[in-house]
Amino acid sequence: MSRKQVLMQQLFSAVLFVAVLAMLGWLSNRYKVELDWTAGNRNTLTEPSRKLLAALPDPVAFKVFVYPRSEKRQAIEADVRRYQRVKDDITLEFIDPSTNPQKVRDYNVQRAGEAIVEYQGRHENLAATTEQAITGALQRLAQTGERWVVFLEGHGERSIGDSEQNGYTQFADLLRDKGLKLRGLNLATDARVPDNAAVLIVASPARSLLEGEAKLVSDYVQQGGNLLWLADPAEGGKDPAASLGALAKSLDVSWQKGTGIMLESASLGLPPFIYITTQYPQNPVTHDFPENALFPLVRGVTYKSDPGAAWTAQPLLTTGEHAWLETGALEGELALDTAKGDTQGPLTLGVTLTRELKPAAGAPKEGEPAAEQKGRAQRVALVGDSDFLANGYVGQLGNGLLGLNLVQWLASQDEMLNIDVPKAPDTALVIPAWGMYAIYFGFAFLLPATLLGFGVTRWVIRRRA
């Protein structure tokens, strides 16, 4: 090959190399590939957060109060960038608190590094920019108006102020984290359900309601109120749910006698009266629901599904055909005995009811939103167990998320269903006490002794050589 041919070949290779670099540079500006190899994909937004962002039509703004040379800037920018990849109208602004004291006062910023997230003219202060913190704040900011969840009190119901095993304080915290406002309601003193109640929860009264109280609850539903009715199996032949018989009749439902028995629970090492969901019937509350749920001591409910019925009913929780309702004592070897009143499965343990409300005639009521005058869907849910949301069980499997779905569906917040961001599994290292002692002993004694022994051994070997 001549010298001229070699030169031309080298020149062509150089031009081709430059062209490849230019092409790679052009491709890198138009296309971007990112891989997240962290445990639990900590640097990638979870599907619940993506679903929430898709439900937010308006821009989101982040304002972060940090000093220009703060090491927090880069970490905060990385946290917000995860949201910007999914929603392109999210902005991020860094504000120097030393040169903007008025903004510090306006946003009530308490310390450097605090972030403000704004949506639709409302804002929240964040001490951290983790996915849990940001997504939780966006859920609360997405709420329009005040939505009150009212818990009936005064008859031994589950209480949002009771922090014991049977109380509902943890479930109450979950609801507050979603931007819902809670309050208790004692009909003996208030004498009516508040007009701004989005959902009334009757969580298994231990004692019967007075006739007047039962009528107030029934009237609330008849006038279009949304209801979550939880009822545990009756004990000692007394069933407090019977005091709301008029309400049950108006809903075309009936609570069954007995406690649900699921023998398949024994294969999991659980008592047979504990029900664990394995699948869900077609229902908007559990559509794409990602987890099983656990229900101790359940009862069944029947409903009418006639085409001409006032309510449209859909089963929420169902069992297999081998389950039954045990009317006897839950002791010894349990067996189905229909002669003694037991009911053969499959059983319905929960049901949702909906009906379309017609626009109210005449002038709107004082304080009633205009949207309510256009007609809407009224929603009611019944579950034959209240324990699954108690402090002792709400953290089990998907109980808490299912409870959130029930309340948010009843409050017509369908876009918020199944949104619950779990904690990253690799953000903390927990070492037990014995592990700390082992580490201390290893570094303070074992490692120096090993090195010393190795050195002495080598010295002895060399002396003998």
Side-chain angles (χ1 to χ4, degrees), residues 3-317:
R3 184 176 179 182
K4 184 176 181 180
Q5 288 177 322
V6 172
L7 182 62
M8 290 296 295
Q9 190 178 46
Q10 291 176 343
L11 180 61
F12 179 76
S13 298
V15 172
L16 184 61
F17 179 72
V18 172
V20 169
L21 289 180
M23 180 64 70
L24 290 175
W26 179 78
L27 289 174
S28 66
N29 286 328
R30 292 193 54 124
Y31 304 99
K32 189 174 183 180
V33 176
E34 295 181 345
L35 301 176
D36 185 1
W37 291 354
T38 58
N41 293 327
R42 191 173 58 189
N43 294 322
T44 303
L45 281 187
T46 59
E47 187 58 33
S49 293
R50 291 173 175 268
K51 180 181 177 182
L52 174 63
L53 292 177
L56 301 179
D58 297 325
V60 177
F62 288 87
K63 293 179 172 62
V64 185
F65 289 81
V66 294
Y67 296 110
R69 297 183 179 180
S70 173
E71 297 179 353
K72 295 181 178 180
R73 291 175 64 104
Q74 187 175 359
I76 293 173
E77 190 173 8
D79 289 338
V80 176
R81 191 182 300 122
R82 294 182 299 166
Y83 287 81
Q84 291 175 321
R85 295 190 193 106
V86 180
K87 183 175 172 64
D88 55 12
D89 56 354
I90 293 179
T91 59
L92 172 62
E93 177 186 2
F94 288 103
I95 301 174
D96 185 353
S98 62
T99 58
N100 293 274
Q102 184 58 48
K103 286 189 176 181
V104 171
R105 288 191 291 269
D106 291 343
Y107 288 102
N108 193 28
V109 175
Q110 301 299 317
R111 61 186 64 86
E114 198 167 319
I116 309 298
V117 55
E118 291 184 322
Y119 181 72
Q120 292 184 339
R122 301 180 298 278
H123 72 271
E124 271 203 27
N125 294 42
L126 302 178
T129 53
T130 62
E131 183 177 356
Q132 270 196 318
I134 293 176
T135 299
L138 289 175
Q139 279 187 279
R140 292 186 290 272
L141 292 173
Q143 303 290 349
T144 55
E146 292 188 338
R147 294 178 180 268
W148 285 90
V149 179
V150 179
F151 287 78
L152 188 65
E153 295 179 347
H155 317 89
E157 297 91 345
R158 309 286 179 158
S159 172
I160 57 176
D162 182 3
S163 59
E164 299 298 326
Q165 286 287 93
N166 294 326
Y168 268 22
T169 53
Q170 293 183 25
F171 181 54
D173 290 339
L174 291 177
L175 295 175
R176 292 189 183 99
D177 286 343
K178 304 304 178 185
L180 298 167
K181 298 182 181 296
L182 313 182
R183 60 159 292 185
L185 173 67
N186 191 325
L187 292 175
T189 56
D190 290 344
R192 72 190 202 111
V193 180
D195 293 334
N196 60 356
V199 182
L200 173 65
I201 297 181
V202 180
S204 193
R207 294 176 295 278
S208 298
L209 276 68
L210 298 175
E211 183 178 348
E213 293 175 321
K215 186 177 186 307
L216 289 173
V217 174
S218 183
D219 289 347
Y220 162 79
V221 175
Q222 290 301 314
Q223 294 166 9
N226 300 320
L227 173 71
L228 174 58
W229 188 0
L230 310 176
D232 293 328
E235 295 182 3
K238 296 182 179 179
D239 187 3
S243 63
L244 289 169
L247 172 62
K249 184 178 180 180
S250 68
L251 297 174
D252 289 330
V253 299
S254 176
W255 293 107
Q256 295 179 283
K257 296 181 180 180
T259 302
I261 300 298
M262 283 65 59
L263 294 181
E264 57 268 24
S265 297
S267 62
L268 301 175
L270 298 172
F273 47 78
I274 291 183
Y275 167 65
I276 294 184
T277 58
T278 55
Q279 58 184 358
Y280 299 93
Q282 187 67 29
N283 194 289
V285 176
T286 53
H287 180 66
D288 290 335
F289 192 73
E291 301 181 52
N292 294 334
L294 181 149
F295 300 80
L297 296 174
V298 293
R299 72 185 305 179
V301 58
T302 61
Y303 59 92
K304 288 186 178 180
S305 56
D306 301 336
W311 294 86
T312 300
Q314 289 181 275
L316 176 68
L317 302 168

Side-chain angles (χ1 to χ4, degrees), residues 379-461:
R379 298 175 173 183
V380 173
L382 299 92
V383 178
D385 177 42
S386 67
D387 293 292
F388 81 103
L389 294 178
N391 296 333
Y393 294 98
V394 71
Q396 300 287 332
L397 303 179
N399 286 21
L401 182 56
L402 179 59
L404 286 174
N405 271 15
L406 278 167
V407 175
Q408 289 176 323
W409 177 77
L410 289 168
S412 299
Q413 296 178 307
D414 297 35
E415 69 282 358
M416 297 296 173
L417 299 184
N418 296 332
I419 297 181
D420 185 45
V421 180
K423 293 182 179 179
D426 57 346
T427 57
L429 176 63
V430 179
I431 301 177
W434 65 266
M436 295 297 296
Y437 286 119
I439 293 173
Y440 173 77
F441 177 78
F443 279 95
F445 300 101
L446 186 59
L447 182 59
T450 302
L451 295 175
L452 180 61
F454 178 78
V456 171
T457 302
R458 293 294 300 170
W459 178 77
V460 171
I461 292 174

